[in-house]
Amino acid sequence: MAEEQGKTGKGINTGKLATSMQKRLSRAQEKVLQKLGKADETRDTAFEEGVANFNKQMAEGTKLQKDLRAYLAAVKTMHDASKRLQDCLADMYEPEWFGKEEVDTIAEETDILWSDYHDKLVDNSMIAMDTYLAQFPDIKARIAKRDRKMTDYDSARHHFGSLQKGKKQDQAKIAKPMSLVEKAAPGWAQGILSAHQIAQTNLTRNQAEEELGRAQKVFEEINVDLQDELPQLWNSRVGFYVNTFQSMAGYQQRFHKDMGKLNQDLNDVMTKLDEQRLAKKAGKDWKPGPKKSEAAAVNHSVTPDAAPKTRPAPPGPAPVRPPPSPRPSLTPAPDTQQQDIILFDGEALVSDANTTAPSQATAPSQATTPSQPQTDTAVAAAAGAATTAVTNGSSEVLPAGVIYKVKAMHDYAATDGDELEMKAGDVVLVLAWENPDEQDDGWLMGVKESHWLENKDLLAKGVFPENFTQKL
């Protein structure tokens, strides 16, 4: 029984092998005929374009996977190098030095940060990359199968076509009995032989037609599926690239942000250690102050319910300039000389006491009580309504809204968005405050003269400390 089953299985395998070999021979023959131009080939331009896109997409994905693995290997190498460096610092850091515990903590947190960064890249970007590429081998195999089935379909189509063309020739040959049969067989048997040959020819043609139908069905099924899948796969690449690099960018951003904090902490410890060294060298007692990060956190911590504070007094690295000489009152005293009035655009403003206006633009002054001397900041607030051009101590005409000029004597780095950054030597046009109540003591509003000369507008204005400047 076992021997019979073995023989049966062996016969089945032999039959499959023979069928497979026959198909390979038929496909090879068909390809040769197509290359020689003896037989036409089924072509689909849209599908061929889809296959070209598929090959390009698979090549790009494979390269991206290779480069991503190289990047992960570099991250792992950098992690190992960072860990060895941090361990070396922790081992050689003596216990009596400032910040021994901080250094050990920084080394531990740095190692954890590198490990977390590497694990996130592997768990998300690398696994997503492998999943994305896993679909390509199956589709590639189906494309190759589709090409084979298309060759089988062309071969069956050509075979059936050749039988159709040779039908009349075969019938003519069958109508004439073979010479040997005609000599050997009696007359009544010749009709039977002719009918047998016609039946064999019809059977071959029917078999060819059935084989053509089967080959066409198999080819069209796989062809339709691939025509739907290839464009979808091609369009999916954009979303995959976006998700991959967005996630990597997010991981990198958080990693470098946290690593920057640890580096700042280490820098603070090293700074304090250097201060400790210098103090010991000078024989002085030394007590560590707050870290830069802690001081910044204290300076910038604002509770949500806290009311906005007024601007602090301007910093004073520069010496405070002496009080300015009293400015003349806008309404002169009775015992003063007649003041000159400058007319501009139909409006009149009182010039400085040392300003000489043209004779045709003067008007008699009116008597009133003398005013008290005013500071520059008070004058800036009081002249808020002035929008016409006035003159300074010389004959120069200032832009509308400008009270006077000052020159920066020291550099000033702006610390808020509404402050004006200055370099020593910058000339600033002082403006009147739109709302005098908003002016803080010791602060002026102005715009750089260079901006005015270049743009002819006063939009780039900001506040600056008065004691950093000198009035021109």
Short mmCIF file of all heavy atoms in Angstrom, two decimals, residues 198-223:
data_model
loop_
_atom_site.label_atom_id
_atom_site.label_comp_id
_atom_site.label_asym_id
_atom_site.label_seq_id
_atom_site.Cartn_x
_atom_site.Cartn_y
_atom_site.Cartn_z
N ILE A 198 -10.30 15.09 -38.89
CA ILE A 198 -11.05 16.33 -38.67
C ILE A 198 -11.40 16.50 -37.19
O ILE A 198 -11.29 17.58 -36.62
CB ILE A 198 -12.32 16.34 -39.54
CG1 ILE A 198 -11.95 16.42 -41.02
CG2 ILE A 198 -13.24 17.49 -39.15
CD1 ILE A 198 -13.13 16.26 -41.95
N ALA A 199 -11.75 15.39 -36.55
CA ALA A 199 -12.08 15.45 -35.13
C ALA A 199 -10.85 15.83 -34.31
O ALA A 199 -10.93 16.61 -33.34
CB ALA A 199 -12.64 14.10 -34.67
N GLN A 200 -9.69 15.27 -34.64
CA GLN A 200 -8.47 15.60 -33.93
C GLN A 200 -8.12 17.09 -34.09
O GLN A 200 -7.70 17.76 -33.14
CB GLN A 200 -7.29 14.74 -34.44
CG GLN A 200 -7.38 13.27 -34.04
CD GLN A 200 -7.19 13.10 -32.55
OE1 GLN A 200 -6.52 13.88 -31.91
NE2 GLN A 200 -7.80 12.05 -31.98
N THR A 201 -8.33 17.62 -35.27
CA THR A 201 -8.04 19.05 -35.52
C THR A 201 -8.99 19.93 -34.71
O THR A 201 -8.57 20.93 -34.10
CB THR A 201 -8.16 19.36 -37.01
OG1 THR A 201 -7.26 18.53 -37.75
CG2 THR A 201 -7.84 20.83 -37.28
N ASN A 202 -10.25 19.59 -34.70
CA ASN A 202 -11.22 20.37 -33.92
C ASN A 202 -10.93 20.30 -32.42
O ASN A 202 -11.08 21.30 -31.69
CB ASN A 202 -12.64 19.87 -34.19
CG ASN A 202 -13.09 20.18 -35.61
OD1 ASN A 202 -12.61 21.14 -36.23
ND2 ASN A 202 -14.02 19.37 -36.14
N LEU A 203 -10.49 19.14 -31.94
CA LEU A 203 -10.15 18.98 -30.53
C LEU A 203 -8.97 19.87 -30.16
O LEU A 203 -8.96 20.53 -29.12
CB LEU A 203 -9.83 17.51 -30.23
CG LEU A 203 -9.40 17.19 -28.78
CD1 LEU A 203 -10.52 17.55 -27.81
CD2 LEU A 203 -9.04 15.72 -28.66
N THR A 204 -7.95 19.90 -31.02
CA THR A 204 -6.79 20.75 -30.76
C THR A 204 -7.18 22.22 -30.72
O THR A 204 -6.73 22.98 -29.86
CB THR A 204 -5.73 20.51 -31.84
OG1 THR A 204 -5.37 19.13 -31.87
CG2 THR A 204 -4.49 21.36 -31.57
N ARG A 205 -8.04 22.64 -31.65
CA ARG A 205 -8.46 24.04 -31.67
C ARG A 205 -9.30 24.39 -30.44
O ARG A 205 -9.15 25.48 -29.85
CB ARG A 205 -9.25 24.30 -32.96
CG ARG A 205 -9.55 25.77 -33.16
CD ARG A 205 -10.06 26.07 -34.56
NE ARG A 205 -11.24 25.28 -34.90
CZ ARG A 205 -11.25 24.26 -35.75
NH1 ARG A 205 -10.11 23.89 -36.35
NH2 ARG A 205 -12.35 23.60 -36.01
N ASN A 206 -10.17 23.48 -30.02
CA ASN A 206 -10.97 23.73 -28.82
C ASN A 206 -10.09 23.81 -27.56
O ASN A 206 -10.32 24.65 -26.68
CB ASN A 206 -12.02 22.63 -28.65
CG ASN A 206 -13.07 22.69 -29.73
OD1 ASN A 206 -13.31 23.75 -30.33
ND2 ASN A 206 -13.71 21.55 -30.02
N GLN A 207 -9.12 22.92 -27.49
CA GLN A 207 -8.21 22.96 -26.36
C GLN A 207 -7.42 24.27 -26.32
O GLN A 207 -7.21 24.86 -25.26
CB GLN A 207 -7.26 21.77 -26.41
CG GLN A 207 -7.92 20.43 -26.13
CD GLN A 207 -6.97 19.27 -26.28
OE1 GLN A 207 -5.88 19.42 -26.84
NE2 GLN A 207 -7.37 18.09 -25.79
N ALA A 208 -7.00 24.73 -27.47
CA ALA A 208 -6.26 25.99 -27.54
C ALA A 208 -7.13 27.17 -27.11
O ALA A 208 -6.67 28.10 -26.44
CB ALA A 208 -5.73 26.21 -28.96
N GLU A 209 -8.39 27.11 -27.51
CA GLU A 209 -9.31 28.20 -27.12
C GLU A 209 -9.55 28.20 -25.61
O GLU A 209 -9.59 29.26 -24.97
CB GLU A 209 -10.62 28.04 -27.87
CG GLU A 209 -11.60 29.19 -27.63
CD GLU A 209 -12.85 29.05 -28.50
OE1 GLU A 209 -12.97 28.03 -29.20
OE2 GLU A 209 -13.68 29.98 -28.46
N GLU A 210 -9.71 27.01 -25.03
CA GLU A 210 -9.89 26.92 -23.58
C GLU A 210 -8.64 27.39 -22.83
O GLU A 210 -8.73 28.10 -21.82
CB GLU A 210 -10.22 25.48 -23.20
CG GLU A 210 -11.59 25.01 -23.68
CD GLU A 210 -11.85 23.56 -23.34
OE1 GLU A 210 -10.92 22.94 -22.76
OE2 GLU A 210 -12.95 23.06 -23.65
N GLU A 211 -7.48 27.01 -23.34
CA GLU A 211 -6.23 27.44 -22.72
C GLU A 211 -6.07 28.96 -22.80
O GLU A 211 -5.62 29.60 -21.85
CB GLU A 211 -5.04 26.76 -23.41
CG GLU A 211 -3.69 27.11 -22.82
CD GLU A 211 -3.53 26.64 -21.39
OE1 GLU A 211 -4.21 25.68 -20.99
OE2 GLU A 211 -2.71 27.26 -20.66
N LEU A 212 -6.50 29.54 -23.89
CA LEU A 212 -6.46 31.00 -24.04
C LEU A 212 -7.38 31.67 -23.01
O LEU A 212 -7.01 32.68 -22.39
CB LEU A 212 -6.87 31.40 -25.45
CG LEU A 212 -7.02 32.90 -25.71
CD1 LEU A 212 -5.70 33.62 -25.47
CD2 LEU A 212 -7.51 33.14 -27.14
N GLY A 213 -8.55 31.13 -22.81
CA GLY A 213 -9.48 31.69 -21.84
C GLY A 213 -8.94 31.65 -20.43
O GLY A 213 -9.05 32.62 -19.66
N ARG A 214 -8.34 30.48 -20.06
CA ARG A 214 -7.77 30.36 -18.72
C ARG A 214 -6.60 31.32 -18.52
O ARG A 214 -6.48 31.99 -17.48
CB ARG A 214 -7.32 28.92 -18.47
CG ARG A 214 -8.46 27.93 -18.26
CD ARG A 214 -7.93 26.62 -17.70
NE ARG A 214 -7.02 25.98 -18.63
CZ ARG A 214 -7.38 25.10 -19.57
NH1 ARG A 214 -8.66 24.75 -19.69
NH2 ARG A 214 -6.49 24.54 -20.37
N ALA A 215 -5.71 31.41 -19.49
CA ALA A 215 -4.55 32.30 -19.37
C ALA A 215 -4.99 33.77 -19.28
O ALA A 215 -4.43 34.56 -18.51
CB ALA A 215 -3.62 32.11 -20.58
N GLN A 216 -6.00 34.14 -20.05
CA GLN A 216 -6.49 35.52 -20.00
C GLN A 216 -7.12 35.86 -18.65
O GLN A 216 -6.91 36.94 -18.12
CB GLN A 216 -7.51 35.74 -21.13
CG GLN A 216 -8.05 37.15 -21.20
CD GLN A 216 -9.02 37.34 -22.36
OE1 GLN A 216 -9.32 36.38 -23.10
NE2 GLN A 216 -9.50 38.55 -22.53
N LYS A 217 -7.86 34.95 -18.08
CA LYS A 217 -8.50 35.17 -16.80
C LYS A 217 -7.48 35.37 -15.68
O LYS A 217 -7.58 36.31 -14.87
CB LYS A 217 -9.42 34.00 -16.47
CG LYS A 217 -10.16 34.16 -15.15
CD LYS A 217 -11.06 32.97 -14.88
CE LYS A 217 -11.79 33.14 -13.54
NZ LYS A 217 -12.66 31.95 -13.24
N VAL A 218 -6.46 34.47 -15.64
CA VAL A 218 -5.44 34.57 -14.60
C VAL A 218 -4.67 35.88 -14.73
O VAL A 218 -4.40 36.58 -13.73
CB VAL A 218 -4.49 33.37 -14.68
CG1 VAL A 218 -3.32 33.55 -13.71
CG2 VAL A 218 -5.24 32.07 -14.36
N PHE A 219 -4.32 36.23 -15.97
CA PHE A 219 -3.56 37.46 -16.18
C PHE A 219 -4.38 38.69 -15.77
O PHE A 219 -3.85 39.61 -15.11
CB PHE A 219 -3.15 37.56 -17.64
CG PHE A 219 -2.65 38.91 -18.04
CD1 PHE A 219 -1.43 39.38 -17.57
CD2 PHE A 219 -3.40 39.74 -18.86
CE1 PHE A 219 -0.96 40.64 -17.92
CE2 PHE A 219 -2.95 41.00 -19.21
CZ PHE A 219 -1.72 41.45 -18.75
N GLU A 220 -5.63 38.76 -16.16
CA GLU A 220 -6.43 39.94 -15.86
C GLU A 220 -6.69 40.10 -14.37
O GLU A 220 -6.75 41.23 -13.86
CB GLU A 220 -7.75 39.88 -16.63
CG GLU A 220 -7.58 40.08 -18.13
CD GLU A 220 -8.91 40.01 -18.88
OE1 GLU A 220 -9.91 39.60 -18.23
OE2 GLU A 220 -8.94 40.36 -20.07
N GLU A 221 -6.84 39.01 -13.64
CA GLU A 221 -7.08 39.10 -12.20
C GLU A 221 -5.90 39.75 -11.48
O GLU A 221 -6.05 40.70 -10.70
CB GLU A 221 -7.35 37.71 -11.63
CG GLU A 221 -8.73 37.17 -11.98
CD GLU A 221 -8.95 35.77 -11.43
OE1 GLU A 221 -7.98 35.21 -10.87
OE2 GLU A 221 -10.08 35.24 -11.54
N ILE A 222 -4.70 39.24 -11.73
CA ILE A 222 -3.53 39.79 -11.05
C ILE A 222 -3.20 41.18 -11.58
O ILE A 222 -2.72 42.06 -10.85
CB ILE A 222 -2.33 38.83 -11.21
CG1 ILE A 222 -1.19 39.29 -10.29
CG2 ILE A 222 -1.86 38.75 -12.65
CD1 ILE A 222 -0.03 38.30 -10.26
N ASN A 223 -3.50 41.42 -12.85
CA ASN A 223 -3.22 42.74 -13.44
C ASN A 223 -4.11 43.82 -12.82
O ASN A 223 -3.64 44.92 -12.50
CB ASN A 223 -3.42 42.68 -14.94
CG ASN A 223 -3.00 43.97 -15.64
OD1 ASN A 223 -1.85 44.38 -15.58
ND2 ASN A 223 -3.94 44.61 -16.29
#
